[in-house]
Amino acid sequence: MNKIRDKKLLISFGNHLRHLRKQNNLSLEALANEADVEISQIYRIEKGLINPTLSTLKILANALNIPLPELMDFK
């Protein structure tokens, strides 16, 4: 993939994560605490600034009480 597509993918995923977080009435801080992940890392993921690892995605899915495939179901 080229950089432009990668950036669009990361932004799209970040928007999806933000939607799921808000749907669960969680603040950035609450999700960070639940997932034991730095709040700044979640912020950067939601903004599409970093590409999270698979293990981070699994931790976030668990913190949101959803299966990993649901976390990855974004467009």
Side-chain angles (χ1 to χ4, degrees):
M1 269 197 250
N2 64 40
K3 286 185 176 187
I4 293 172
R5 276 198 225 152
D6 285 348
K7 186 66 176 171
K8 288 179 182 177
L9 178 72
L10 293 176
I11 290 170
S12 182
F13 176 75
N15 289 335
H16 179 64
L17 176 60
R18 183 180 309 107
H19 171 77
L20 291 171
R21 176 177 59 78
K22 289 183 177 186
Q23 187 176 20
N24 284 282
N25 297 314
L26 294 171
S27 65
L28 278 170
E29 183 177 14
L31 180 56
N33 289 336
E34 185 67 31
D36 196 24
V37 172
E38 293 290 326
I39 192 171
S40 61
Q41 183 176 4
I42 295 174
Y43 173 81
R44 292 189 318 261
I45 293 169
E46 286 189 357
K47 291 293 186 183
L49 301 174
I50 61 172
N51 191 356
T53 65
L54 183 56
S55 53
T56 299
L57 295 175
K58 180 63 175 151
I59 289 167
L60 291 172
N62 289 345
L64 292 166
N65 296 310
I66 60 172
L68 183 57
E70 187 176 334
L71 179 61
M72 299 306 298
D73 187 19
F74 68 97
K75 295 176 182 164

